[in-house]
Amino acid sequence: MRRPPNEVERLARLRELEILDTAPEEAFDQIVSIASQICEAPAAFISLLDTEREWFKARLGTDLTSIDRTLSLCSEMVLSDSPLIINDLSQDPRFSNNPLVINAPNMRFYAGVPLITNDKLVLGALCILDKIPRQLSISQLQALQALARQVVLQIELRHKLLKVQSTIDSLGESERRFRVIADASPVLLWISDQAGNRTFFNTAWREFTGLSREDSLADSWEAALHPDDREVYHQRWHAAALQGARFQREFRLRHSSGTYRWVLEQAMPLFSSTGRLEAYVSSCVDLSSRNTDELQYQNNEARFRAISEAAPLGIFVTDSDGNYIYTNNQFQNISGQSSEESFGSGWLRAIPLEDRERVASSWYAATKTATPFEETHRYQRHDGGIAWCTVKAATINSTDTVSGWVGTVDDITERREVNEELIAAKRAAETATHAKSQFLANMSHEIRTPLTAIIGFAESLRDDTKHTPEQFHTLDIILSNSKHLLNVINEILDLSKID
C-alpha cells in the first residue's frame, strides 16, 4: 500500500482536528445525503484515512463504520489533490481484485473528491459508490467538489468550536478565581440585581458587618443600613436602576463592633450584549481609609482587562464622544490594526470604502442619541484579508450622562462562507434534478410516438384473417412487447412529472 510523502504531517493534522471516532453529526449526515441525491448514487461516504484504516464520519447506504486501509478505494486519494473517478472498478487493474468489487456489495462505480485543508493536506475523501458501471456529469462533479469543501470547513469549524468551548470552560475557572480574589480583597464587594437585591458578598463584607451570607442575601442586608439613610438610599438606587446608570452614594453602615461608619458605595451596571441591564457590581470603602479608592479602581481595571483578553470576541471601549480608547487582542486580530491605529476614529480606516460611510453614519447617530449600536460589515486587514463581523455596542452610563461605550466584534466570516456554499450546492442539486426530469420527459415522448404507430399497424394486421397461424403468433408477440414497452415509457414519463 502506497503512502504519500507527507503522511506524518497528514496524520498529525487529522489527530489535531479531533474528528476521528466521534459520534454522527447532522451537518455531515446532510452533506452525504445531498451528495447521494445530486449524483443519484445509492451509497455516499465522508471517509478519513487513519494509519491503518479508513473511518467513515458520515455514511449512507451501508452499516460499515470503517474498513482496513488496504481495502480502501479512497487510499489512492491521499496521493494527489485531484478527484478520482472510476467508471467500472472491475476493469481497473488497481481495484479489479478488491474484495469490495468481487464480493458483496459488488461495487462497480466510484467517484471521490479529496478533503484538502488550507495547508494542502488530504484528510480523506467525499465519495459516492454505485453497483453498476456509469459516468459522472460535469455539474455533478462540481457539486461534489463544492460539498467536499463544505466538509473541510465543517471539520475546521467544529475544531474551532471545541476551542471556544475550552475557552468557556476557562472562563468558568476565571469565575472561580474571581470569587477567590474577591474574598481575598480588603474592599467590600457585592453583586446586586437591578432591584437592589444582593446575590453575592465577599468575605470583607461579612467581616465588616458581622452578617452571615444568609443574612446578607436579597434585601436582608438592609438590617446593617442606618435607619435614617434607608429611604434616600432606596430612592437613589431605583432612580439609577431605571436609567441603567452608575450608582454612587455615601451612607452609614453598621460595623461588626455595633458602631456605624460612613462608607462610599460605587456600583457599575452590567449590560447584556443587547443592552439590557442585568446586574450591578458594587464596591464599598470605609471612608476612614479613603486611600483604598485607588486600589479598588486598579483592581477593577485589571479584572476587566483580564476578562477582555480571555474573551473569544473582539472588545472595544470608547470615551463619551465615541472615540476608541481601548481594544483587546481579538479585536486587533480581526481588524488587523494595533491599538494605537484604532484609537480615536482610526478604526474606520480598517473598514472598506464600500461600507465605511454607512457604518460611520450609523455610529455617529448612535453616539448622539445614546441608543444601542449594531451593524454587520467588513474589516480589511493590511494583508488584504476580509473579515465579516457583527458589531454591537452599548452605553456606559455614569449618573445622568454617558461616560463611554463598550462593544463587541463577532467574526462571522466562516459562517457566511458555509451558508453560501450550502446554498450553491442546493442550487446545483435543483439544476441537476430539473435537467434529469427534462431528459426523461423528452426521451419518453420521442420513443412513445413511433411506438404508438407500431402498435396501431400491428393491430390492423391482426384484424386481417388471411394470415397463417405463425404470422398471427408473430403479430401477438409484437403487440405484447410493444404494449409492455409503452407501459414502461409511460411510467418513466410519470416519474419525470413527479420529480
Side-chain angles (χ1 to χ4, degrees), residues 435-451:
K436 181 199 72 174
S437 300
Q438 190 64 40
F439 169 77
L440 291 175
N442 291 340
M443 181 192 71
S444 301
H445 177 75
E446 293 297 328
I447 296 176
R448 186 169 62 171
T449 299
L451 193 59

Side-chain angles (χ1 to χ4, degrees), residues 83-87 92 94 109-112 134-136 141:
L84 178 64
I85 301 175
I86 304 172
N87 297 329
D92 191 308
R94 295 172 296 177
F109 173 76
Y110 171 84
R134 50 171 290 191
Q135 294 181 341
L136 200 67
L141 176 59

Side-chain angles (χ1 to χ4, degrees), residues 15 31 149 183 220 273 381 467:
R15 282 162 175 70
I31 289 176
R149 289 193 293 271
D183 284 337
S220 300
S273 59
R381 297 185 287 269
H467 300 301

Side-chain angles (χ1 to χ4, degrees), residues 394-409:
T395 58
I396 302 172
N397 295 304
S398 176
T399 61
D400 296 331
T401 60
V402 175
S403 60
W405 294 73
V406 60
T408 61
V409 180

Side-chain angles (χ1 to χ4, degrees), residues 19 40 46 58 68 94 101 162 188 195 257 334 376 402 428 433-434:
I19 187 73
E40 302 177 71
I46 294 174
D68 193 278
R94 295 172 296 177
V101 177
L162 288 176
L188 282 64
S257 63
I334 293 172
T376 297
V402 175
T433 300
H434 177 73

